[in-house]
Amino acid sequence: MPNIKSAKKRVLVNQTKARQNKILKTNLKTVIKNANNAMETGAETSAEAVRVAIKKIDQAAAHGILHKNCAARKKSKLAAKLAKMN
């Protein structure tokens, strides 16, 4: 446990940021799962779900939640699955 005041603050800030990152990651996984489910069921809203998922992936990459290559891979996977469906 830190003794210095700035180190104590750093621990609190890190906990807060870790909590926020976890919320964003969980939300991202949910959006991607929703897009995959929409494509599997053949819903007409699957293109819209993929568009929303790609936007969330881009936002996560911009905030440093995902690495840019990981984001590109996830987007490519979704786009390929959507193209294969049509």
Side-chain angles (χ1 to χ4, degrees):
M1 195 63 200
N3 295 324
I4 299 168
K5 185 176 181 180
S6 62
K8 289 177 183 177
K9 181 179 178 183
R10 210 28 46 228
V11 168
L12 294 175
V13 169
N14 286 341
Q15 287 174 346
T16 304
K17 289 186 179 225
R19 198 175 310 121
Q20 185 63 27
N21 287 343
K22 185 169 184 157
I23 290 168
L24 292 173
K25 278 185 182 180
T26 305
N27 189 19
L28 178 65
K29 288 178 189 176
T30 302
V31 170
I32 292 172
K33 190 191 304 181
N34 290 342
N36 281 324
N37 287 341
M39 285 188 281
E40 285 173 7
T41 58
E44 56 275 352
T45 60
S46 58
E48 177 66 21
V50 169
R51 189 188 66 76
V52 170
I54 287 176
K55 181 177 180 181
K56 286 286 187 183
I57 291 169
D58 284 335
Q59 288 174 344
H63 285 100
I65 305 299
L66 286 178
H67 189 273
K68 65 177 187 168
N69 291 351
C70 180
R73 185 176 64 248
K74 287 180 184 293
K75 289 179 353 185
S76 175
K77 194 172 180 182
L78 283 173
K81 192 171 183 180
L82 181 65
K84 189 176 182 180
M85 191 182 90
N86 291 336

